């Protein structure tokens, strides 16, 4: 199997002059840094050097931001105090989305305070970097417990709890003050898994000002599950689809950057420019369906052989591996690959913040999350911005993003979806015009519905209503 792209890229390209090589590699690295355009990359970029954090340059930048954001839909949040409570601070989707909202609020002049409920006492480079990034953007970081946390919650105009697990912060910290804070809480929920439906987490849900959820499918699931299992009612619930960052779109729409990234990632994987790459980009776990994807990928070879089709050389790329701490599940994936003799066609890539280079390098994204699927699945809209067709499970938020037969193809979740996914792989492998057309329609759909400004517009509507409810409650 090809070595992880990170090490392969570092080794460079052979057969060229040193000066050309250095220039080419420098361009790649610069673009790759700019292309850390998953939410994680967007947030971590500039940790070591932020324009507001160096040599007194903050005033000019602040003035420019004020002018640039004068027309922001979140402008009404200027001077408002917002407390953000996250169950953890990590590179997972929930905390990073909350940080993105924190920065949007800071840009319009909100006072933003961050609390991490389950913060590890051990020194952690990721936590340190994320906290530094927040501080450099003017976000205050407080300990989860103590009088300062209580005082901030009481004086805040708005409190946002991020994820269901964040509800565990309320009673142990606020204690007798919980009833005063509940009417100004917006609960942002991203989870779809059943183990989050515990009364100890969400018992206060019926009394908060509102819940914000990333997809209609997830919102309906929470409404039904809380009623049937926990015997409680959901509050006013708002569905807010996510959007791509401006940084990601800049890379996706830069033909030179995409070409350079495509060339080098493919070189690192040992694949040719004309080869066809299907990629699944998620943390490696059974719920994300890498095992079923590889089964479908293997079956697709058999279908091609049976039908005597002529297709480009196909490869599968699994981005999200952990080469230093392989799980039992990942060991099973690698064993399947070896057993079926497809090790020259399957490439495992270690976890990375730089998702954009792989989106530039591949031809099709596979979103194979199982059971109830993804709550939303931001990698899906990121891939569509690169004009990639998506092969996704017909579950969760994916059904609200991918238009079956138009921007991609959907297949059932579970083992029964393997044969369908294999057929869809063959279909896109043998019809280049369909790949191109679906990719173009996916890009158009992103531009129409899933941009950062769309997300800001949707969140602004929610925050206005929640603030109004909070004011009415305080006056009653």
């Amino acid at each position: 199997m090809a070595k992880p792209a990170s090490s392969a890229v570092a080794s460079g390209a052979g057969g060229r002059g040193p000066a050309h090589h250095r220039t080419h590699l420098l361009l790649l690295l610069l673009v790759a840094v700019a292309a850390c355009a998953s939410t994680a990359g967007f947030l971590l970029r500039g940790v070591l050097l932020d324009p507001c954090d160096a040599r007194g340059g903050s005033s000019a930048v602040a003035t420019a931001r004020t002018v640039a954001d004068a027309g922001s839909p979140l402008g009404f949040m200027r001077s408002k105090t917002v407390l953000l409570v996250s169950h953890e601070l990590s590179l997972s989707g929930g905390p990073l989305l909350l940080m993105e909202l924190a920065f949007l609020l800071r840009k319009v002049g909100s006072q933003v305070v961050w609390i991490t409920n389950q913060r590890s006492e051990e020194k952690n480079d990721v936590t340190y970097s994320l906290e530094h990034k927040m501080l450099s953007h003017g976000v205050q970081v407080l300990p989860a417990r103590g009088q300062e946390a209580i005082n901030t919650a009481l004086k805040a105009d708005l409190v946002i709890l991020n994820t269901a697990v964040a509800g565990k912060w309320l009673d142990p910290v606020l204690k007798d003050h919980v009833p005063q804070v509940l009417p100004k809480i917006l609960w942002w929920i991203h989870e779809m898994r059943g183990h989050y439906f515990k009364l100890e987490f969400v018992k206060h849900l019926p009394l908060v000002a509102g819940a914000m959820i990333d997809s209609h499918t997830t919102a309906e699931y929470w409404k039904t599950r809380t009623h049937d299992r926990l015997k409680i009612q959901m509050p006013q619930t708002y569905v807010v689809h996510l959007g791509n960052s401006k940084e990601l779109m800049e890379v996706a729409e830069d033909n030179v950057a995409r070409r350079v990234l495509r060339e080098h990632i493919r070189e690192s994987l040992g694949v040719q420019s004309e080869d066809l790459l299907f990629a699944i980009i998620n943390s490696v776990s059974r719920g994300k369906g890498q095992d079923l994807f590889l089964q479908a990928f293997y079956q697709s070879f058999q279908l091609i052989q049976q039908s005597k089709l002529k297709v480009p050389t196909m490869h599968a790329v699994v981005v999200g591996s952990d080469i230093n701490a392989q799980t039992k599940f990942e060991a099973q994936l690698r064993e399947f690959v070896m057993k079926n003799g497809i090790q020259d066609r399957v490439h495992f890539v270690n976890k990375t913040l730089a998702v954009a280079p792989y989106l530039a390098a591949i031809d099709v994204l596979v979103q194979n999350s199982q059971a109830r699927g993804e709550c939303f699945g931001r990698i899906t809209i990121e891939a569509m911005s690169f004009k990639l067709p998506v092969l996704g499970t017909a579950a969760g938020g994916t059904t609200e993003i991918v238009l079956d037969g138009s921007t991609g193809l959907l297949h059932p979740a579970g083992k029964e979806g393997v044969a369908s996914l294999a057929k869809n792989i063959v279909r896109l492998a043998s019809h280049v015009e369909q790949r191109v057309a679906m990719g173009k329609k996916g890009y158009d759909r992103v531009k129409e519905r899933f941009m950062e400004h769309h997300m800001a517009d949707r969140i602004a509507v929610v925050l206005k209503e929640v603030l109004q409810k909070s004011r009415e409650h305080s006056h009653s």
Side-chain angles (χ1 to χ4, degrees):
M1 286 179 209
K3 54 188 174 181
S6 55
S7 59
V9 169
S11 66
R16 298 178 181 175
H20 175 86
H21 166 70
R22 284 196 299 271
T23 302
H24 204 43
L25 184 56
L26 178 59
L27 176 59
L28 168 69
L29 293 176
L30 289 173
V31 173
V33 169
C36 294
S38 64
T39 310
F42 162 65
L43 293 166
L44 283 180
R45 189 166 50 255
V47 161
L48 299 180
L49 180 61
D50 189 278
C52 296
D53 191 38
R55 296 179 295 279
S58 59
S59 59
V61 174
T63 301
R65 283 179 175 171
T66 299
V67 173
D69 296 307
S72 169
L74 292 167
F76 67 93
M77 292 297 296
R78 182 176 179 82
S79 301
K80 297 287 192 299
T81 299
V82 183
L83 174 62
L84 307 177
V85 182
S86 183
H87 75 287
E88 66 177 12
L89 184 55
S90 68
L91 296 179
S92 56
L96 294 174
L97 279 171
L98 191 65
M99 286 183 64
E100 188 169 340
L101 177 58
F103 298 157
L104 288 174
L105 291 172
R106 282 294 300 143
K107 286 172 70 177
V108 297
S110 300
Q111 179 184 351
V112 183
V113 182
W114 178 284
I115 283 175
T116 304
N117 189 37
Q118 299 175 1
R119 191 183 188 282
S120 174
E121 296 304 319
E122 297 180 7
K123 186 176 180 180
N124 183 302
D125 289 342
V126 170
T127 300
Y128 174 81
S129 296
L130 292 174
E131 286 187 348
H132 179 84
K133 184 66 174 177
M134 286 194 286
L135 291 169
S136 71
H137 277 73
V139 177
Q140 185 181 359
V141 179
L142 290 184
R145 287 160 175 75
Q147 192 59 46
E148 192 172 11
I150 296 173
N151 292 343
T152 303
L154 291 173
K155 75 175 183 180
D157 298 287
L158 178 68
V159 177
I160 299 180
L161 296 182
N162 195 46
T163 74
V165 185
K168 294 171 66 177
W169 175 80
L170 292 171
D171 287 322
V173 176
L174 298 183
K175 297 177 179 156
D176 295 339
H177 298 291
V178 169
Q180 295 171 257
V181 177
L182 289 178
K184 55 184 176 183
I185 288 179
L186 174 64
W187 210 320
W188 198 1
I189 295 173
H190 313 284
E191 300 96 333
M192 284 280 279
R193 305 292 180 260
H195 61 270
Y196 292 107
F197 290 87
K198 294 183 178 179
L199 203 57
E200 63 176 300
F201 297 166
V202 298
K203 65 181 180 181
H204 293 299
L205 254 178
L207 299 176
V208 303
M212 187 163 68
I213 298 181
D214 303 334
S215 66
H216 293 282
T217 304
T218 309
E220 186 59 33
Y221 177 66
W222 270 85
K223 178 182 177 182
T224 303
R225 188 81 179 230
T226 50
H227 178 268
D228 295 347
R229 294 293 183 91
L230 303 180
K231 309 305 179 186
I232 62 175
Q233 300 292 326
M234 288 290 289
Q236 175 71 46
T237 301
Y238 307 90
V239 172
V240 173
H241 286 153
L242 308 180
N244 282 329
S245 69
K246 294 177 182 177
E247 287 78 7
L248 175 76
M249 296 305 299
E250 287 173 0
V251 176
E253 295 173 340
D254 187 327
N255 291 332
V256 174
R258 290 176 59 187
R259 186 171 63 251
V260 171
L261 291 170
R262 182 180 178 88
E263 175 187 340
H264 277 268
I265 292 298
R266 283 176 169 251
E267 183 178 334
S268 75
L269 295 172
V271 302
Q272 303 301 310
S273 60
E274 65 273 15
D275 292 348
L276 195 59
L277 270 59
F278 293 81
I280 186 167
I281 305 177
N282 285 113
S283 57
V284 172
S285 67
R286 199 170 299 279
K288 301 300 183 181
Q290 286 91 352
D291 54 342
L292 302 180
F293 163 55
L294 291 179
Q295 291 175 32
F297 184 68
Y298 177 66
Q299 285 188 21
S300 70
F301 289 125
Q302 298 171 318
L303 292 174
I304 289 169
Q305 187 176 14
Q306 291 168 8
S307 301
K308 298 181 180 180
L309 296 174
K310 189 174 182 180
V311 300
T313 300
M314 300 193 311
H315 295 259
V317 184
V318 180
V319 180
S321 175
D322 191 340
I323 202 167
N324 297 316
Q326 285 185 31
T327 63
K328 180 180 178 181
F329 177 68
E330 184 171 336
Q332 292 171 349
L333 298 181
R334 293 174 183 264
E335 182 181 354
F336 175 85
V337 169
M338 294 295 292
K339 180 180 177 181
N340 289 284
I342 54 174
Q343 58 269 30
D344 61 333
R345 298 294 189 93
V346 178
H347 311 270
F348 290 90
V349 175
N350 214 26
K351 292 178 180 179
T352 176
L353 296 179
V355 174
Y358 292 95
L359 295 176
I362 67 175
D363 300 288
V364 179
L365 178 81
V366 178
Q367 175 60 283
N368 204 41
S369 294
Q370 297 300 301
R372 287 174 289 276
E374 291 287 330
C375 180
F376 183 80
R378 196 167 190 179
I379 188 65
T380 306
I381 59 172
E382 290 177 337
M384 289 163 64
S385 70
F386 279 78
K387 298 183 179 179
L388 298 176
V390 177
L391 300 180
T393 47
T398 303
T399 61
E400 298 171 29
I401 304 172
V402 178
L403 300 180
D404 190 24
S406 175
T407 66
L409 300 169
L410 299 178
H411 58 273
K415 293 181 179 179
E416 61 269 28
V418 171
S420 178
L421 175 56
K423 291 178 182 178
N424 290 341
I425 290 173
V426 173
R427 176 175 168 180
L428 292 190
S430 54
H431 294 89
V432 62
E433 72 284 354
Q434 285 192 21
R435 295 200 308 272
V436 173
M438 287 180 174
K440 176 62 168 59
K441 289 177 181 178
Y443 171 80
D444 292 341
R445 184 163 169 78
V446 165
K447 295 288 283 188
E448 180 184 346
R449 301 177 63 109
F450 300 121
M451 300 285 284
E452 183 180 88
H453 66 87
H454 295 134
M455 184 173 73
D457 287 340
R458 292 187 280 259
I459 290 177
V461 172
V462 178
L463 297 190
K464 281 182 180 179
E465 288 198 21
V466 171
L467 285 173
Q468 181 61 32
K469 288 181 183 179
S470 178
R471 285 192 293 266
E472 291 174 356
H473 184 274
S474 64
H475 294 151
S476 63

